[in-house]
Amino acid sequence: MTTYDDNDIASLFDPQLEDPVPVIPPGALPPSWAAGRQTPAPQPGPRAWSEVEFPPHPVTEVPEEVDPRAEDPAVLAEDTRTPERRRKRSKRRGKTPADREKAAAKKRADRARKAVRLQLTGTSGHITRTSRTSTAWFVQKQGPWNFRTTGKQRRFIRDEAMVLTNLQQAGVERLHRRLVRTPFPVEQWAKDHDQWAAPIDDVPGALSWAEYLRGQQHAMLWSNATIKGRYWGIELPQRSVLGIGLDYLANTLGYVANWPLLGTLSSLITGWADDAFAREEKALADHLAELERIMAGRGVNAAPASPTAVDYLLRRSATIGLPLAAGGGAAGAGDWEEDDVAALEDLTDLSLTPGDGYTTVSGVVEGRRYTGAVIVLTVGRMAPLPIPERMLPWQVIGDPSGEPLEWSDRIELHDKAQTIRTMRSLTGKIENQFDHYTVEHDEVPPKELAEQHTRVQDVISDVEEDHSGLSTRTSGWYRVAVVGATPDEARKKVAGLREMYKPHIALEQEHGQFQLLREFIPGEPRANIAHTRHMDVEAVAAGMATAGDRIGDRRGVVLGETSSIAPRPVIWDCFAAHEIKHKSGLTPIVAVPGSGKTFLAGMIVYQAVRAGAYGVVLDPSGPLKELANLPEFRDIARVYALTGRDSRPGALNPYRVIIDPRRDDPEYDTGHTDFARAADPFAAAQAKYDADMRAAAAERVEVAVSVLKMMLTERHLHLEHTESVLHLAANRVGGDRDHNLGEVLDAIKAIGETDPDQAVRTCASGVYQQLELMSRLAEARVLFPEAGTVGSGVDDFDADIRLTILTMPGLQLPPEGVPSSQWTPQQRMTAPLMHMAAWLANRLVYEKPRHVRKVLFLDENKYLESTGAGRTLNLRIARDSRKFKVRALVCSQLPDDFLGLDGTDDKTALTYEVFVGDVGGDPHAIDGALKLLKLPAGQGFEAFLAELGSGGEDTLDEDTDTSYQDQARRWMVRMADDVELVRSSWVHFVHLSHVFAALNSSTAKNVLGGAA
């Protein structure tokens, strides 16, 4: 392994670097190699006779012997006549058996080398050449499929089918499509993540930033994730016979160009040849331009392959069965000459054991030799495929296996006239067979003949009557390569893949595996014509080989891995919505208790703070407070208890929690763009500042009234004058920061004594008695400061703290389903305490400079949404989070908390990212989750949401309980228009074991695979 100096920044991005993290990654290997890397290296067996090294013989002096034949004249004469024959005889006599065996082995190797010599002669840009054909290559990237409506999925298929139709109409007759896999670019992720982040300082003895990056790469490598890419190889028209002949004559007569008469003829023919070549070159350029326009169309959106992409295609195709890093083709990318092709032939050694049905592949990658077994399967008979209504695209069915399957499609496109001729010829054959049964033998013909005749007539009718081109017919050969570290492993994978494709599609294991594997290489001939699939372009496009899981980006925090089609890491730039898309940072996390909300939020907060963001957590139940004890957060994290013995009087005083705007903020600077057109920028800035000061004072008054209303019983709330009494008292106190709720109570008491209206006095007296009783509770000390004070501790929060965690130990949450009239005073205090704690968390975030990144986590959002003031707070978070660069993770158990109890406070339009976990299977909750995810009802998405619990069947019967099979929590995640199923799995992230221990709740144990 490579080693670097500790100060070398490049060492951060080398996943094979020796480091203290106890992980042994498989490098950039496909999943097939993960098991192979874990098995012990095979011991060398007995070597062939030709490879045995003999010990040196001792040199001894041998006395010369006199040959009696040397004195015979006849023998001398014979030896003189045949000296050459004698030399050959002596040369043969001088060879040992080992020499002869080596020579035979060399001949066998030479014969094998000739058998695998490539047809490729070179490349030019995105065009590969053989001695007979030229092929232009285009690259199509991985596309979406999951959680799209059936109409959109049909449109995806139809768009790709139209591309095939347009290619046929442009004169294309043959295609070679190659689906290749590249390892997930963990090295590039580390580089991008390092640039994206502003990491906190390393702490001695704690996990350093370099170790963190390395550990993240190792964990993602262990998942063996790959990214798809499909190459479209379009065969170009061959040169005309006239042009080739003129070139031949021009080259032949070039030797006599200076002769008197023949030189004139040579110049004439050379000119003709040049003109013919120029015309053909222009026609080819126009044809290539037309192909680029077609391939860039909707449905494929492919671009001409870059030299690096062509380089990777050739290397990947020549080394199927061997690992190849994503950047393996980047070095020296450019046009290939014949010498380069010869080097490509030397990348692998291929051998086929007759009768075993697999190809053994061996080669050296990055100085290490690998050996594997490859089995190529061919798509056989296909039943009618209900795609997309009930099936995945037929070339994606095997992707959930997690294997890096590679496809090679050889497709011939037929024009309308050719198809009709072929079908009418087939009709004649069927009718002749029918007559053979009925007329010649007077027998009942098989029913299959009538069915075949009907199908042929349907094809003719479709082709003749179709004007869209979607009935264009094709002939194709579709191969898929399955790789195993050993032949037995490859056979097991083949058996599993066949089971996945049954009963709709048969996968055939043909003879000639060696030739079938060579067919994957551009320029190589088709291995055979068996199992030809005759389909229209829509059936071909229904393969959708590039469909995959698409969500997130490649530079942010890790959320888990996708689990819809094929697993790959889910990376989320949690500040892209603010910095790039200009969207809200409100992120609902919805799931029933025990579904992993707190664990997921804790992992996001931990990674974001490590990357330099400021974190504020309001966690009433308190498990996240252990994050402050992590070694890497030493001296930059604080925990503040808002209830219990450690709480500080007045810490949640509304008048102190809501802060005034700061005059030195950039938005009040006279140079701000908002004041560019003002006649007096200073006066305009001051007017804006004064208006915001008045707004803050009014907000304090409203929040004070809301908090007091939450403390009242149902009876007092429904009194006629309660609302007016509370507002009158709060307005008398005013909205300055030097007040507190005790002064409002005094004002209410004064109204109950001095107001001229008897009804008002009665109401005020009752309200005062209730609130004065509530203010004496131990839970209320954070709302009501000591006499003569405005609250202590609120202004003492350290400005240099990166992670602030607010907990509320001892908080008594109201029981579900119990009317509020039956709540205890302690339970009634939950709503005002949660409300003011959310305001404090909000304030700790918003008092930071606008340009810095911030993460806010609010738990138990249902208690905020139960009041109008709480809904206002959520709405403010949703609308202002973009301006202040706040990622607000708001947890709740029901989607209604974000959709509004009566549908009038819907925040769906304000959410750009949404996490929905197990919602318990309730139809109403599922409908709300679909609305949050912006998915339509009636499309089958309800089944996904109903099954979002942990894998297996959960039962108390130990004999039948299978819930342990997959205990990673699953989430439906929406980011922009992408919706995917994500497994929050952390089994390979061993470098974060101390973080998991800090989040050691029952949910965390389930995520990590431990006991609940």
Side-chain angles (χ1 to χ4, degrees), residues 704-705 707-713 716 722 725-726 741 744-745 748 764-777 780 784 829:
V705 171
V707 168
L708 295 177
K709 286 172 61 178
M710 296 177 197
M711 299 167 61
L712 294 175
T713 61
H716 288 93
T722 297
V725 167
L726 292 176
L741 289 179
V744 180
L745 291 187
I748 296 175
S765 298
V767 168
Y768 172 75
Q769 292 178 7
Q770 176 69 36
L771 292 177
E772 200 273 337
L773 176 65
M774 294 291 292
S775 67
R776 297 178 184 178
L777 296 176
F784 295 87
M829 286 298 300

Side-chain angles (χ1 to χ4, degrees), residues 579-813:
E579 300 170 348
I580 300 175
K581 301 295 185 179
H582 306 293
K583 301 292 184 179
S584 168
L586 174 64
T587 305
I589 303 180
V590 180
V592 297
S595 297
K597 300 188 299 293
T598 303
F599 185 88
L600 176 64
M603 290 303 301
I604 295 174
V605 169
Y606 170 81
Q607 296 179 80
V609 174
R610 284 235 51 160
Y614 286 86
V616 177
V617 175
L618 172 58
D619 182 24
S621 56
L624 292 185
K625 68 180 180 181
E626 297 299 327
L627 288 176
N629 298 327
L630 295 177
E632 49 266 44
F633 290 161
R634 189 183 307 155
D635 298 329
I636 64 169
R638 291 287 185 275
V639 177
Y640 295 97
L642 301 182
T643 58
R645 293 179 304 171
D646 298 331
S647 62
R648 290 176 289 185
L652 296 182
N653 178 11
Y655 291 87
R656 303 296 290 177
V657 169
I658 300 175
I659 61 174
D660 287 327
R662 291 177 294 191
R663 186 62 178 84
D664 57 349
D665 282 348
E667 60 180 315
Y668 304 119
D669 190 274
T670 54
H672 196 276
T673 55
D674 292 346
F675 313 126
R677 297 184 179 181
D680 186 351
F682 180 82
Q686 185 63 38
K688 179 177 175 58
Y689 172 74
D690 294 340
D692 290 346
M693 285 287 291
R694 291 191 296 272
E699 198 167 41
R700 292 189 190 97
V701 171
E702 288 297 326
V703 171
V705 171
S706 299
V707 168
L708 295 177
K709 286 172 61 178
M710 296 177 197
M711 299 167 61
L712 294 175
T713 61
E714 291 272 348
R715 183 175 65 85
H716 288 93
L717 277 175
H718 293 141
L719 294 177
E720 179 182 1
H721 300 287
T722 297
E723 187 83 21
S724 59
V725 167
L726 292 176
H727 276 91
L728 178 61
N731 286 322
R732 285 184 179 180
V733 172
D736 294 337
R737 294 192 70 228
D738 55 355
H739 297 299
N740 60 68
L741 289 179
E743 298 178 27
V744 180
L745 291 187
D746 293 338
I748 296 175
K749 181 180 179 180
I751 294 173
E753 296 174 351
T754 61
D755 195 271
D757 191 333
Q758 178 63 37
V760 173
R761 290 200 305 272
T762 303
C763 177
S765 298
V767 168
Y768 172 75
Q769 292 178 7
Q770 176 69 36
L771 292 177
E772 200 273 337
L773 176 65
M774 294 291 292
S775 67
R776 297 178 184 178
L777 296 176
E779 291 80 4
R781 65 192 301 239
V782 292
L783 295 175
F784 295 87
E786 297 176 352
T789 66
V790 293
S792 62
V794 177
D795 294 327
D796 298 334
F797 290 105
D798 297 330
D800 59 343
I801 293 300
R802 288 280 183 163
L803 176 61
T804 304
I805 301 176
L806 308 176
T807 65
M808 308 181 75
L811 188 67
Q812 298 185 27
L813 301 180

Side-chain angles (χ1 to χ4, degrees), residues 323-403:
L324 184 63
D335 293 346
W336 287 54
E337 304 297 339
E338 292 189 10
D339 295 342
D340 301 318
V341 176
L344 183 66
E345 296 168 355
D346 291 333
L347 285 179
T348 58
D349 301 324
L350 303 180
S351 62
L352 179 68
T353 304
D356 283 351
Y358 66 89
T359 304
T360 301
V361 181
S362 177
V364 178
V365 178
E366 296 182 354
R368 183 169 183 171
R369 176 165 290 277
Y370 298 89
T371 301
V374 184
I375 297 177
V376 178
L377 301 176
T378 301
V379 174
R381 297 182 65 84
M382 305 171 68
L385 304 178
I387 302 173
E389 287 77 9
R390 289 178 299 182
M391 284 182 62
L392 285 172
W394 58 269
Q395 285 185 300
V396 179
I397 294 175
D399 283 6
S401 67
E403 292 301 314

